[in-house]
Amino acid sequence: MSNGWVLPDEVLRDAPAYTPRSYELADLELLLAGAYAPLTGFLHRADLASLARRGRLVDGTPWPVPVTLEVPGDLAAGLQLDNPLHRALVITDPEGAPVAAVDVTDAWPTRDGRYGVGGTVRRLGDGGHGPFQRLRRTPEEVKSLLPPGRVLGVVADRPLHRPQLAQIAHAARTLAAHLLVLIPIAEPGPDGLPSEVLVRAVFAARDRMPPATLVAVPLTRRGDEIRDALLRAKVAAAYGVTHLLSTGEMLSGGGPRVLVPRELAYDNRDGQWRWRDDIPPRNRRLALRPDEINDLLDRGFPLPEWHTPPAVAKELTRARPPRRHRGLVVFFTGLSGSGKSTIARGVADSLRESGDRTVTLLDGDVVRRELSKGLGFGKEDRDTNIRRIGWVAAEVARHRGMALCCPIAPYAKARATARAMAQTAGAGFVLVYINTPLAVCEQRDRKGLYAKARAGQLTGMTGIDDPYEEPTDADLVIDASEVSIDEAVRAVLDHLTETGWVEPRLQPA
């Protein structure tokens, strides 16, 4: 591939535009920076077939993972691959700003009406925006800053606690190497930690490191541990790394030498981190697991100083406050007439009385009237309605409020989308399934909807001629035919209290 192609501005103005998925945008940024050298664009069919067959591109270059771009079929159909003036595709970021152009020279059907496209990329505009732009240096810029000699690379995809810092210091000292810390900034990161929080946490540990250069790179995880490690090694090598510190598999090939450190433990005798096997069992403390760290933060307990530097703990506490101070979406789902709206209102009233949380109630009927006016009750419109509710609820929770939602939400995929929106906003998500039997819901039928559906006067009624996909991932299940509304409200409040989302309250005498 060659990246020397140039098109007039008026051609690019008229070219179709497309915003790819987040991992495709991350790949694009690495391509534009030169971190995926020798690649200069998204792969063609022949390269993908060769890669799947023998782990190499058509020209024989070893490469660990597919670097691909998919677009809607109607967009691909409008490109004229045999005409250089009509095969350009403008790539935009999520805000719609142009960031690159693709010279599409290959297109092929993939799945569900989508097409893969391959071709050389070139940057448009000033290189993007967002936090920590100064850290998004190209490999050539970074290599010009590195001192001669060995370079120890560390991919800091999680905050650095004392065990990791001790391993880094030992490796840098042993190798007499300069330290290069690569901070992955592609979302979502491990444990749902926003990229800007990860950057701040790594910087908070900088005074505990040897002399270091820090770089932000949009590396994403692809679900294959070995391939992920191989790709990281490739990118690290592009930035000038000669030795890569890793806790994964030893890798072979043309990249940096990968070092797998021995496990450390804290020595109670003198407060130092040493090789685990060098410390008697009665005197050692093992490093905390990520889930143990998150549990301490969720419950509002301080991270122990023997394990985490105070500056790092401060950043993590700011980003992951105790659950009672964090945003939350409580999503009630169930059939029409199940009691979910009544129960949600009772929960909202109780929380407002206590003043523990700022509460927003998104009732299904009110949302239909105000936010989703004009939508019907077909599957596509129902999904759109839930996406809108999920987005508003996530924004409420992003600012540490509590959103109570009570739509029918009959489809599992739409409910999963609402959960993902909340988690992306750094908030919690509690799914409450009001599992009241259909027969009881029909008996209540205060709106007369079931009667109309049974009489054939109404179609698309959930539970009658439209399915309700029962949740398999509910955090709480309540049958409102077996308990009173007050008991159901108390069950929800008890669950929120037990899981730390609401402060325990003293009962009046």
Side-chain angles (χ1 to χ4, degrees), residues 56 64 81 127 140-141 161 206 217 219 230 240 266 270 316 333 341 369 381 400 406 408 433 435 457 475 488 494 496:
R56 295 175 179 270
L81 304 191
E140 291 307 313
E141 290 172 334
H161 300 272
R206 194 170 189 179
V217 291
L219 279 168
L230 286 165
Y266 180 76
D270 59 6
L316 296 181
T333 178
S341 295
R369 186 170 64 246
D381 280 359
R400 301 190 178 178
C406 40
I408 293 174
Y433 174 29
N435 185 23
Q457 301 171 7
D475 301 283
D494 286 347
L496 296 179

Side-chain angles (χ1 to χ4, degrees), residues 281-405:
R282 67 178 179 277
N283 298 120
R284 74 168 72 127
R285 291 187 188 180
L286 300 182
L288 298 177
R289 300 188 311 270
D291 62 305
E292 293 175 321
I293 293 170
N294 289 340
D295 183 60
L296 289 172
L297 294 169
D298 287 345
R299 291 187 290 156
F301 296 154
L303 299 182
E305 193 168 342
W306 62 267
H307 185 273
T308 304
V312 177
K314 179 180 178 181
E315 289 296 338
L316 296 181
T317 301
R318 286 172 56 193
R320 194 181 181 105
R323 279 181 167 176
R324 61 184 180 274
H325 299 312
R326 204 183 309 163
L328 175 67
V329 175
V330 184
F331 199 97
F332 295 82
T333 178
L335 296 171
S336 177
S338 61
K340 58 188 179 301
S341 295
T342 306
I343 296 168
R345 283 196 294 271
V347 173
D349 290 344
S350 180
L351 292 171
R352 287 166 178 158
E353 287 178 9
S354 69
D356 289 337
R357 303 293 305 246
T358 300
V359 179
T360 299
L361 178 62
L362 298 172
D363 179 75
D365 291 338
V366 176
V367 168
R368 278 279 180 177
R369 186 170 64 246
E370 303 294 341
L371 185 64
S372 296
K373 186 176 181 180
L375 290 181
F377 290 88
K379 186 176 189 308
E380 184 176 348
D381 280 359
R382 285 179 182 267
D383 286 347
T384 299
N385 181 52
I386 298 305
R387 282 191 63 85
R388 291 178 181 178
I389 292 172
W391 186 86
V392 173
E395 288 303 300
V396 169
R398 186 190 303 278
H399 299 286
R400 301 190 178 178
M402 180 186 290
L404 307 182
C405 316

